[in-house]
């Protein structure tokens, strides 16, 4: 039996590895950016979406109008077959040969052409387990939400991912499907697939990815008394936008199309544990770290439109490139200012776990925004915080996306002393509930001044090791360190170029300002 199974998986891996080579023979895919729209057309939105927009005082505008049918017809007549359409970006995607590229660029209604990044990073394919989820449920104080009756009920959650194989038969998601909690499913990779085919067809090992993400948002196993996610009573809309894992060609246009579809249905909370960075078939088309600036990639521009104009809260995994010395920083669309980018921490010290991507220093805002424990990748820390957001939205459905984001940040244990390693730290349910009820938070932070090369701080004798962030300014970390406590005292040694130091005691935060 072992020999046969081994042979099967070897064959499976060979088939999986063969697919990208076939994809590389296709013409490259591009965004074709168009100049204007037919302003007399009607918004491509459901009545529910329009009502929600009005409730949040977000006006309808040109980004809600469909791409011009006249321009689409002209492209088709020229032999160009659009793949996806984006009303937000006023663009269509299409595969273009060199000759077609020149032909399209010369069309009077074409504003420009931009290559689509074909390298997607998804992070874990491990099935969530008690080992993975129990520590993070304790870390974010999951029982506090449960005691308040907050389970994501009446909240619509969109999940944009690489596949949802076995979701309808997973024990941790049984309760979701039994109550028909998955309302719609779309496959942007193979639009001919039905929902059942998508959930029950395994093409690559990454087809498990969306299933585990769902489990980390809403999973529960009553027989084992295990809670995998916070939003156990939420309603779901699922979209598969990418085929395969790191070795496969990613599809940014599918991601944007899925976002716009969910917007049209009125979905206001979306998890996407996907990111784009490098690794494309043609290295010349890779992103550069300097381009993780929140506006270079069209996918980040679309995410910002969703945040600013559509009232959508997008929760994005920061990425798993923290140990990659050639990259290290977050991927796109986690770089967009309006999204909630989630890093990953260790379970014991709550500092950055090695693989978790770091916020770029060139950004004028903080990334990642917050973090929480994940054993396998930021793909699982992001859905945990998605469930956290769903509980907040259930508690007060009138909150805007930006207000929910602000509550999550302010509820985090390091706030306001965030950094580009873990953001504002780990969100705490007790603090979020207090903010929801307009209660003052207990004072858990203080700022002290220090001079010289060393600084001593008294620490409770129960703490053996303390997490410390050495920073060159208010937010950018030079080094994180686990410092041992000796005889109830913590000793800091200032490094060169160090301006500030954060002492993370979990229940208390001390910000040291070096003079």
């Amino acid at each position: 039996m072992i020999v046969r199974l081994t042979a099967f998986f070897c064959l499976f891996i060979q088939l999986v590895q063969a697919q990208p080579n076939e994809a590389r023979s296709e013409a490259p895919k591009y965004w074709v950016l168009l100049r204007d729209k037919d302003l007399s057309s009607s918004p491509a939105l459901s009545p529910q979406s329009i009502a929600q927009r009005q409730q949040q005082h977000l006006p309808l505008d040109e980004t809600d109008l469909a791409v011009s049918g006249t321009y689409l017809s002209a492209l088709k007549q020229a032999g160009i077959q659009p793949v996806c359409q984006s009303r937000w970006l006023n663009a269509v995607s299409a595969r273009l040969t060199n000759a077609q590229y020149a032909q399209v660029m010369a069309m009077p209604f074409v504003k420009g052409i931009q290559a689509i990044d074909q390298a997607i990073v998804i992070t874990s394919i491990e099935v969530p387990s008690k080992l993975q989820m129990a520590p993070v449920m304790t870390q974010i104080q999951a029982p506090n939400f449960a005691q308040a009756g907050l389970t994501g009920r009446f909240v619509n959650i969109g999940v944009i991912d690489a596949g949802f194989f076995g979701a309808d038969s997973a024990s941790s998601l049984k309760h979701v499907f039994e109550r028909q909690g998955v309302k719609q499913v779309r496959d942007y990779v193979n639009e001919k697939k039905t929902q059942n085919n998508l959930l029950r067809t395994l093409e690559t090992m990454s087809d498990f990815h969306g299933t585990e993400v769902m489990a980390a948002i809403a999973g529960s196993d009553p027989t084992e008394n295990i809670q995998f996610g916070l939003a156990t009573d939420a309603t779901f809309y699922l979209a598969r936008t990418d085929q395969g894992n790191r070795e496969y060609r990613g599809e940014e246009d599918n991601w944007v199309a899925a976002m716009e579809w969910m917007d049209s249905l009125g979905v206001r909370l979306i998890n996407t544990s996907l990111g784009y960075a490098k690794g494309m078939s043609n290295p010349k088309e890779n992103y550069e770290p300097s381009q993780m600036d929140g506006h270079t990639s069209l996918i980040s521009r679309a995410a910002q439109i969703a945040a600013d104009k559509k009232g959508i809260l997008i929760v994005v995994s920061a990425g798993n490139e923290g140990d990659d010395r050639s990259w290290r920083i977050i991927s796109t669309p986690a770089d967009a200012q309006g999204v909630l980018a989630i890093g990953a921490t260790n379970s014991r010290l709550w500092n950055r776990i090695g693989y978790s991507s770091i916020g770029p220093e060139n950004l004028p805002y903080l990334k990642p925004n917050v973090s929480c424990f994940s054993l396998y990748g930021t793909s699982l820390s992001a859905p945990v915080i998605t469930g956290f957001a769903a509980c907040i939205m259930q508690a007060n459905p009138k909150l805007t996306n930006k207000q929910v984001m602000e509550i999550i940040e302010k509820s985090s244990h390091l706030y306001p002393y965030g950094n580009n390693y873990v953001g504002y730290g780990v969100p705490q349910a007790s603090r979020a509930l207090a903010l929801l009820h307009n209660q003052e938070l207990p004072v858990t932070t203080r700022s002290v001044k220090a001079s010289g090369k060393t600084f001593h701080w008294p620490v409770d004798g129960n703490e053996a090791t303390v997490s410390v962030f050495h920073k060159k300014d208010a937010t950018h970390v030079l080094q994180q360190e686990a410092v041992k406590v000796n005889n109830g005292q913590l000793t800091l040694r200032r490094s060169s170029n160090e301006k500030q130091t954060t002492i993370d005691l979990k229940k208390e935060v001390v910000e040291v300002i070096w003079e």
Side-chain angles (χ1 to χ4, degrees):
M1 180 64 70
I2 294 176
V3 173
R4 290 179 181 175
L5 285 173
T6 302
F8 169 78
F9 279 111
C10 286
L11 177 60
F12 179 80
I13 290 170
Q14 289 171 2
L15 291 172
V16 167
Q17 290 176 338
Q19 293 178 27
N21 296 327
E22 296 171 3
R24 292 190 186 104
S25 64
E26 297 178 328
K29 189 185 285 186
Y30 298 91
W31 282 114
V32 179
L33 306 176
L34 307 175
R35 292 193 179 278
D36 49 28
K37 285 186 175 182
D38 179 2
L39 299 182
S40 64
S41 60
S42 300
L45 302 172
S46 68
Q48 180 187 10
S49 182
I50 293 174
Q52 287 183 336
R53 198 80 63 78
Q54 292 172 340
Q55 183 182 21
Q56 296 188 35
H57 305 290
L58 294 170
L60 301 180
D61 60 18
E62 286 188 31
T63 61
D64 297 306
L65 303 179
V67 172
S68 169
T70 302
Y71 296 164
L72 291 174
S73 297
L75 287 169
K76 291 177 181 178
Q77 289 174 3
I80 310 300
Q81 185 60 48
V83 179
C84 289
Q85 304 174 29
S86 171
R87 60 180 184 274
W88 293 356
L89 302 173
N90 192 23
V92 298
S93 62
R95 296 191 181 278
L96 305 175
T97 63
N98 291 339
Q100 289 173 324
Y101 184 103
Q103 180 185 13
V104 171
M105 196 64 200
M107 292 178 171
F109 56 84
V110 172
K111 182 178 178 181
I113 299 177
Q114 184 168 325
I116 291 180
D117 176 17
Q118 298 164 345
I120 190 168
V121 178
I122 66 175
T123 50
S124 69
I125 56 173
E126 299 286 343
V127 177
S129 64
K130 186 174 182 179
L131 178 66
Q132 156 70 23
M133 303 312 296
V136 71
M137 290 295 106
T138 299
Q139 188 185 50
I140 62 174
Q141 302 175 334
N144 292 59
F145 277 146
Q147 291 168 10
L150 299 178
T151 57
R153 187 181 294 273
F154 308 121
V155 177
N156 295 326
I157 300 177
V159 181
I160 301 177
D161 219 281
F164 301 92
F165 178 75
D168 56 344
S169 58
S171 60
S172 60
L173 295 172
K174 182 179 179 182
H175 63 289
V176 176
F177 284 88
E178 282 184 343
R179 61 176 170 79
Q180 298 182 330
V182 176
K183 296 303 181 183
Q184 292 191 45
V185 177
R186 275 200 179 182
D187 187 346
Y188 286 88
V189 176
N190 185 350
E191 294 184 359
K192 295 181 180 180
K193 274 190 177 181
T194 64
Q195 173 174 324
N196 287 340
N197 285 339
L198 177 60
L199 300 180
R200 296 170 189 172
T201 302
L202 182 65
E203 294 181 359
T204 78
M205 292 304 293
S206 293
D207 288 346
F208 287 106
H209 194 261
T211 302
E212 66 165 352
V213 166
M214 272 192 71
I217 296 173
S220 176
D221 190 343
T223 59
E224 295 284 339
N225 194 27
I226 301 172
Q227 185 176 9
F228 293 105
L230 294 173
T232 52
D233 288 324
T235 299
F236 287 89
Y237 295 81
L238 311 179
R240 179 194 185 212
T241 62
D242 186 82
Q243 179 180 5
N245 53 24
R246 179 188 294 265
E247 291 81 12
Y248 287 78
R249 298 169 67 111
E251 305 293 354
E252 283 193 18
D253 55 338
N254 289 343
W255 188 91
V256 175
M259 285 288 300
E260 294 187 15
W261 169 61
M262 290 178 180
D263 169 51
S264 72
L265 298 174
V267 177
R268 290 295 170 262
L269 175 59
I270 296 176
N271 182 95
T272 180
S273 290
L274 306 173
Y276 299 80
K278 60 176 185 174
M280 282 188 279
S281 302
N282 181 358
K284 293 181 180 179
E285 295 179 356
N286 283 340
Y287 282 118
E288 296 294 332
S290 61
Q291 294 177 307
M292 300 297 100
D293 55 11
H295 56 80
T296 292
S297 77
L298 287 180
I299 194 171
S300 280
R301 285 163 57 183
Q304 195 63 45
I305 288 172
D308 291 342
K309 297 187 176 184
K310 316 304 176 185
I312 298 174
L313 177 58
I314 308 173
V315 185
V316 185
S317 50
N320 292 353
E321 306 297 327
D323 284 330
D324 182 351
R325 293 292 171 180
S326 68
W327 190 267
R328 295 204 75 192
I329 62 171
I330 60 175
S331 51
T332 188
D335 60 331
Q337 184 173 9
V339 310
L340 193 65
I342 315 300
T345 70
N346 291 287
S347 61
R348 187 169 64 91
L349 289 178
W350 297 15
N351 58 4
R352 184 180 70 89
I353 198 167
Y355 65 77
S356 186
S357 291
I358 297 167
E361 294 191 10
N362 61 313
L363 292 180
Y365 45 83
L366 189 64
K367 292 292 173 180
N369 299 78
V370 298
S371 299
C372 66
F373 171 66
S374 177
L375 187 63
Y376 298 120
T378 56
S379 275
L380 289 185
S381 57
V384 168
I385 304 304
T386 298
F388 198 101
C391 291
I392 294 172
M393 293 170 74
Q394 178 192 350
N396 187 349
K398 294 183 179 180
L399 292 173
T400 67
N401 58 330
K402 295 181 180 180
Q403 288 172 327
V404 175
M405 187 168 168
E406 183 180 17
I407 288 174
I408 292 173
E409 290 180 339
K410 286 186 175 181
S411 75
S412 298
H413 83 291
L414 291 179
Y415 189 88
Y417 300 116
N419 61 63
N420 66 329
Y421 270 34
V422 295
Y424 290 112
V426 179
Q428 304 288 284
S430 62
R431 293 169 62 91
L433 289 169
L435 290 167
L436 282 165
H437 293 105
N438 296 316
Q439 299 172 352
E440 287 191 14
L441 296 177
V443 178
T444 58
T445 61
R446 68 177 78 183
S447 175
V448 298
K449 293 184 179 180
S451 59
K453 294 294 183 181
T454 60
F455 175 75
H456 305 284
W457 188 258
V459 176
D460 188 303
N462 295 327
E463 295 288 346
T465 306
V466 173
S467 177
V468 171
F469 296 97
H470 302 275
K471 302 183 295 185
K472 66 179 181 179
D473 52 35
T475 58
H476 297 112
V477 177
L478 293 166
Q479 177 191 6
Q480 70 177 23
E481 183 183 13
V483 182
K484 291 184 178 180
V485 177
N486 292 315
N487 299 319
Q489 183 172 267
L490 179 73
T491 300
L492 297 181
R493 291 176 173 80
R494 183 184 184 185
S495 60
S496 59
N497 301 322
E498 186 171 354
K499 303 297 184 183
Q500 294 183 211
T501 307
T502 304
I503 303 173
D504 178 9
L505 302 171
K506 295 192 181 73
K507 294 182 180 180
E508 181 184 12
V509 179
V510 181
E511 188 74 0
V512 180
I513 312 296
W514 295 95
E515 295 180 325

